[in-house]
């Protein structure tokens, strides 16, 4: 808790104590300023967004053309509800406050001198060589350099152009090409190997060399900035690279689905006769800003609802309940390929006001489980006769049937987050690394599945990082390469018109697919705190309605007024971009309403039911769709974390 939050908590306690005298039977119905019994939150933030053109001038990127492609607002929704044709808003509205600038020549000279000093000569990557081998490439990449991405992020964070406050969301759009000191280059991130296998993807894979980076937290163990900054840079003069597949210029459909895939080429390909017209540059940079930096990184939507309502209301304690089906003879996978301390530590970055712990139980495979596993990944057959769901639901159905045996901490913790690990040796199974599932009814999160085999270990992965990633989905985090744009209603997936969104993975987030870090980014933390602020606000509103409907409501009046005060502080902190304080105040408001419920004789455990009812009332039917058309192949909203 911050010092400010602690002081406000004490103030609330004082107010409750001062006004705890019994109210008369004729006391009027309380009137609140911020507490809205039975309603959704109304959290508003004017989000500062700095966009800095670094290496582009106004003639190359016209500001009016650029800004015409940006969104004015964003209203986050629970994405998993959308799969079922439902709309569930959080009660948050963002209004973007853009500040656009062009770095002057002096700053550009200093910055590119810095880049040159960080550049280390390196062989051409396989992707640069593939680019050179094509017919339509504008030029050949003649040499290559690796530049440490975190070092560039830190330089930009603490040496920005005058007037740019990198404590607020800041996007640097970079172009080195065309200067006399230009060097062909890619950005790298090394030194953070898989904790279970020791394999360093950033050092050993050409596919992990990048054109963008950012989102590092102040306290990141490997490359921490030391102070909170919010920076992401994208450099079209880097590459060509694998992630956005901009090394391919001879064809438009690069993923084989018979639909052109929209990508941003390297800077020199924006030319007459090149991959893209120079006139398209401003629009492309606007797409990177809107659909990647804002929609997927800085102000995104939760994949799943974050409140995790339990029989005891919103949880204070969360157990990471690992259950491992051990099927690799001679290998104790749960002991060898899971690092419990790291798992708890990383997930605590998101749920920092909850107490998290971990336990594991090994479970033997049985005939039914084997049939479900094989049916889902090999034969495509359902394992329950007459089941209405497709084979992609096999593991969900099996584990749901036997959920009781995984609930080994029932009554000890508020919420058990079910981590289900399948360890096997049949290399024909073809599982992903993992996926987070929903309940196949309304999009509520259910189980987290992770997979391990000799082939997966040989590829460099254990179980720990997959568990962190998939549990991150369960707690509401989306990938930085897929999401939703609220103004247009566009579903952003890394294919077709939004193939370029793969570049969102190039940030310091555990939720990406690039495997060069195992932390949650500053953007992840900001979004999680915002989501949880809304969740606790909603929980306070929902339970307050039950309190006021009770015969003894007057006994809880003082606590309801304390909640009203706390929510006012939460809204103010939210508007001032103080997300952790906002989360703290909203939780204090919820706790105050719980106290009111107890005094009024209302079972506070009904808060979970109240929240479910409130969420149901808040939903609006959307366009009907069949969520299982992509769940059949595990391509649901979380997406499977697959082998590269």
């Amino acid at each position: 808790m911050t010092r400010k939050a602690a002081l406000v908590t004490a103030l609330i306690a004082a107010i409750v104590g001062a006004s705890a005298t019994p109210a008369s039977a004729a006391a009027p119905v309380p009137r609140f300023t911020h507490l809205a019994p039975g309603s959704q939150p109304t959290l508003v933030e004017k989000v500062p967004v700095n966009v800095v053109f670094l290496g582009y001038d106004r003639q190359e990127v016209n500001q009016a053309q650029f800004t015409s492609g940006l969104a004015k607002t964003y209203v986050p929704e629970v994405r998993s509800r959308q799969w079922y044709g439902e709309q569930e808003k959080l009660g948050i509205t963002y209004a973007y406050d853009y500040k656009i600038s062009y770095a002057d020549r002096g700053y550009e000279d200093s910055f590119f001198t810095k880049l040159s000093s960080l550049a280390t000569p390196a062989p051409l990557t396989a992707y640069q060589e593939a680019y050179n081998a094509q017919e339509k490439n504008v030029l050949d990449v003649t040499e290559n350099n690796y530049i440490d991405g975190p070092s560039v992020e830190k330089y930009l964070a603490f040496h920005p152009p005058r007037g740019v406050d990198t404590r607020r969301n800041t996007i640097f759009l970079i172009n080195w090409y065309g200067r006399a000191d230009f060097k062909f280059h890619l950005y790298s991130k090394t030194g953070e190997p898989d904790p279970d296998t020791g394999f360093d993807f950033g050092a050993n894979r050409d596919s992990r060399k990048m054109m963008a980076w950012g989102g590092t937290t102040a306290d990141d163990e490997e490359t921490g900035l030391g102070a909170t900054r919010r920076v992401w840079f994208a450099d079209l003069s880097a590459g060509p690279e694998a992630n956005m597949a901009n090394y391919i210029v001879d064809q438009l459909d690069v993923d084989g689905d018979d639909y052109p895939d929209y990508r941003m080429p390297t800077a020199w390909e924006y030319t007459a006769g090149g991959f893209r017209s120079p006139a398209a540059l401003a629009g492309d940079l606007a797409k990177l800003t809107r659909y990647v930096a804002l929609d997927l990184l800085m102000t995104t939507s939760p994949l799943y609802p974050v409140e995790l309502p339990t029989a005891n209301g919103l949880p204070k304690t969360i157990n990471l309940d690992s259950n491992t089906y051990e099927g690799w003879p001679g290998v104790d996978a749960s002991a060898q390929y899971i690092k419990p301390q790291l798992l708890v530590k990383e997930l605590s970055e998101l749920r920092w006001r909850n107490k998290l712990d971990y336990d594991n139980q090994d479970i033997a495979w049985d005939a039914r489980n084997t049939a479900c596993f094989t049916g889902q990944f090999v034969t495509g057959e359902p394992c329950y006769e007459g089941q209405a769901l497709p084979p992609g639901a096999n593991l969900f159905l099996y584990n749901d049937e036997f959920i009781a045996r995984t609930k080994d901490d029932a009554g000890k913790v508020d919420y058990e987050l079910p981590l289900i690990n399948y360890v096997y040796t049949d290399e024909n199974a073809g599982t992903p690394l993992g996926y987070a599932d929903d309940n196949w009814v309304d999009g509520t999160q259910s189980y987290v599945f992770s997979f391990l085999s000799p082939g997966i270990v040989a590829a460099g992965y254990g179980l720990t990082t997959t568990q962190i990633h998939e549990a991150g989905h369960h707690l509401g985090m989306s990938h930085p390469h897929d999401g939703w744009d609220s103004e247009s209603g566009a579903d952003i997936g890394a294919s077709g018109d939004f193939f370029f969104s793969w570049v969102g993975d190039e940030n310091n987030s555990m939720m990406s697919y690039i495997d060069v870090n195992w932390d949650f980014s500053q953007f992840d933390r900001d979004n999680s705190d915002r989501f949880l602020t809304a969740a606790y606000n909603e929980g306070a509103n929902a339970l307050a309605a039950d309190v006021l409907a009770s015969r003894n409501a007057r006994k809880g009046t003082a606590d309801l007024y304390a909640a009203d005060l706390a929510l006012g502080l939460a809204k103010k902190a939210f508007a001032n971009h103080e997300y952790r304080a906002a989360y703290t105040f909203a939780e204090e408001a919820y706790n105050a309403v719980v106290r009111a419920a107890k005094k009024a004789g209302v079972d506070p455990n009904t808060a979970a039911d109240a929240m479910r009812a409130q969420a149901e009332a808040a939903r609006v039917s959307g366009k009907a769709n069949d969520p299982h058309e992509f769940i059949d192949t595990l391509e649901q909203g979380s997406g499977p974390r697959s082998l590269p």
Side-chain angles (χ1 to χ4, degrees):
M1 182 185 296
T2 64
R3 182 180 180 186
K4 180 186 291 185
L7 290 172
V8 172
T9 299
L11 175 61
I12 292 171
I15 291 172
V16 172
S19 48
T21 54
S24 67
V29 176
R31 300 182 67 179
F32 307 109
T33 304
H34 306 288
L35 182 67
S39 300
Q40 271 208 306
T42 53
L43 295 164
V44 178
E45 181 186 4
K46 188 176 183 180
V47 181
V49 180
N50 301 310
V51 181
V52 181
F53 292 107
L54 182 47
Y56 296 105
D57 60 33
R58 295 177 185 271
Q59 287 69 43
E60 290 174 290
V61 181
N62 177 270
Q63 183 169 332
Q65 185 181 356
F66 173 78
T67 56
S68 68
L70 302 180
K72 294 180 174 62
T73 61
Y74 189 92
V75 179
E77 294 184 8
V78 178
R79 293 178 58 212
S80 63
R81 304 297 193 204
Q82 297 173 345
W83 313 338
Y84 294 85
E86 300 288 346
Q87 181 185 60
E88 184 179 334
K89 298 180 180 181
L90 277 65
I92 294 174
T93 300
Y94 301 126
Y96 295 123
D97 182 16
Y98 296 104
K99 182 179 180 181
I100 297 171
S101 60
Y102 296 77
D104 61 32
R105 185 56 185 258
Y107 183 85
E108 290 180 350
D109 288 345
S110 297
F111 173 73
F112 290 119
T113 297
K114 180 66 176 180
L115 277 197
S116 186
S117 71
L118 292 170
T120 301
L124 267 62
T125 67
Y127 304 96
Q128 290 172 323
E129 290 178 343
Y131 170 78
N132 287 349
Q134 292 174 90
E135 295 181 0
K136 297 180 181 178
N137 57 310
V138 167
L139 54 77
D140 283 351
V141 177
T142 55
E143 42 90 20
N144 187 32
N145 292 272
Y146 290 152
I147 300 175
D148 182 64
S151 296
V152 176
E153 178 189 8
K154 183 172 286 189
Y155 181 87
L156 291 170
F158 296 105
H159 303 88
R162 183 176 299 176
V164 176
D165 182 359
T166 56
R167 293 173 299 176
R168 306 299 172 220
N169 295 318
T170 304
I171 303 155
F172 288 91
L173 300 173
I174 299 171
N175 176 32
W176 195 359
Y177 182 71
R179 288 177 56 100
D181 56 357
F182 171 72
K183 297 178 179 180
F184 288 107
H185 63 289
L186 285 158
Y187 297 97
S188 64
K189 166 66 166 66
T190 63
E192 199 165 345
D194 184 282
D196 299 326
T197 68
F199 187 81
D200 191 329
F201 290 90
N204 295 311
R205 296 275 176 87
D206 282 359
S207 58
R208 270 55 174 188
K209 303 305 187 288
M210 304 171 288
M211 56 158 281
W213 187 251
T216 303
T217 60
D219 56 357
D220 182 276
E221 296 85 354
E222 290 76 25
T223 59
L225 297 178
T228 300
R229 295 295 185 271
R230 296 172 172 88
V231 166
W232 185 70
F233 68 84
D235 180 358
L236 290 181
S237 64
E241 57 141 44
N243 203 31
M244 194 163 50
N246 63 0
Y247 68 96
I248 301 174
V249 294
D250 280 0
Q251 62 191 71
L252 298 179
D253 174 22
V254 298
D255 58 11
D257 64 356
D258 296 323
Y259 189 90
D261 297 303
Y262 201 91
R263 296 158 291 138
M264 282 59 176
T266 49
W268 52 86
E269 287 283 350
Y270 286 91
T271 188
F275 187 84
R276 188 73 44 78
S277 165
L281 179 60
D284 280 1
L285 293 175
K287 286 182 171 68
L288 286 177
T289 299
R290 173 176 179 168
Y291 298 113
V292 179
L294 295 178
D295 284 349
L296 305 185
L297 301 181
M298 296 171 178
T299 51
T300 188
S301 285
L303 181 64
Y304 292 118
V306 302
E307 52 266 22
L308 308 180
T310 73
N312 296 317
L314 299 184
K316 289 182 170 60
T317 56
I318 298 175
N319 173 242
L320 304 176
D321 187 31
S322 182
N323 303 271
T324 305
Y325 296 111
E326 297 277 10
W328 185 348
V331 173
D332 185 347
S334 63
Q336 186 172 345
Y337 293 107
I338 299 176
K339 300 293 185 290
Q341 290 183 336
L342 181 63
L343 181 66
V344 170
K345 179 182 177 299
E346 298 302 340
L347 290 170
S348 294
E349 292 179 359
L350 294 181
R351 304 298 291 231
W352 57 278
R353 291 189 61 78
N354 294 131
K355 180 181 179 181
L356 274 64
D357 65 12
Y358 163 92
D359 63 62
N360 177 80
Q361 59 176 327
D362 289 342
I363 307 173
W365 289 66
D366 60 24
R368 171 69 76 183
N369 196 22
T370 300
C372 289
F373 180 86
T374 303
Q376 182 158 326
F377 295 112
V378 181
T379 65
E381 297 177 353
C383 59
Y384 286 85
E385 186 175 348
Q387 74 178 43
L389 298 177
N394 280 4
L395 298 191
F396 166 80
L397 290 170
Y398 175 82
N399 286 280
D400 209 51
E401 180 180 4
F402 296 102
I403 185 63
R405 72 184 177 193
T406 70
K407 296 291 185 179
D408 53 326
D409 286 294
K412 301 177 185 177
V413 298
D414 296 328
Y415 187 84
E416 290 185 86
L417 198 164
L419 306 174
I420 313 296
N421 313 309
Y422 279 84
V423 182
Y424 65 97
T425 57
D426 184 359
E427 295 307 309
N428 293 321
T431 68
L433 293 175
Y435 66 97
D437 211 347
D438 70 85
N439 64 355
W440 294 76
V441 175
D442 64 2
T444 300
Q445 59 267 69
S446 62
Y447 305 109
V448 167
F449 294 107
S450 301
F451 303 92
L452 191 78
S453 68
I456 289 174
V457 171
Y461 300 93
L463 284 167
T464 305
T465 62
T466 300
Q467 288 183 317
I468 298 170
H469 176 100
E470 303 302 346
H473 283 315
H474 190 95
L475 296 175
M477 295 294 99
S478 294
H479 292 136
H481 60 251
D482 60 54
W484 182 71
D485 183 80
S486 72
E487 276 197 357
S488 67
D491 186 67
I492 302 170
S495 64
D497 293 340
F498 293 102
F499 191 96
F500 62 87
S501 71
W502 279 118
V503 76
D505 275 356
E506 296 177 5
N507 85 102
N508 205 339
S509 173
M510 180 65 241
M511 301 313 299
S512 79
Y513 278 8
I514 55 174
D515 307 311
V516 298
N517 67 290
W518 316 118
D519 303 276
F520 291 99
S521 72
Q522 185 61 50
F523 308 131
D524 292 331
R525 293 188 188 185
D526 289 347
N527 285 312
S528 182
D529 287 343
R530 286 157 159 158
F531 301 157
L532 287 162
T533 300
Y536 277 97
N537 189 339
E538 185 172 20
N541 289 347
L543 185 56
D546 286 348
V547 173
L548 292 175
S550 71
R551 294 178 60 185
N552 297 312
R554 60 190 179 83
K555 295 181 179 180
T557 300
D559 292 293
L560 293 182
Y561 278 122
D564 186 55
L565 171 62
L567 285 179
L569 294 167
K571 289 182 178 180
K572 183 176 181 180
F574 194 94
N576 289 335
H577 330 298
E578 298 171 355
Y579 311 120
R580 295 215 149 186
Y583 173 16
T584 300
F585 297 145
E587 185 183 24
E588 289 296 333
Y590 174 77
N591 291 337
V593 179
V594 169
R595 293 193 297 271
K598 291 178 179 178
K599 292 176 182 177
V602 173
D603 184 357
N605 294 349
T606 63
D609 293 334
M611 287 196 69
R612 293 187 187 101
Q614 185 166 307
E616 186 66 33
R619 291 181 208 164
V620 179
S621 293
K623 182 179 179 181
N625 58 64
D626 180 7
H628 299 135
E629 68 184 29
F630 44 83
I631 293 177
D632 273 336
T633 56
L634 295 182
E635 289 293 334
Q636 58 196 97
S638 70
R641 185 166 180 254
S642 303
L643 287 170

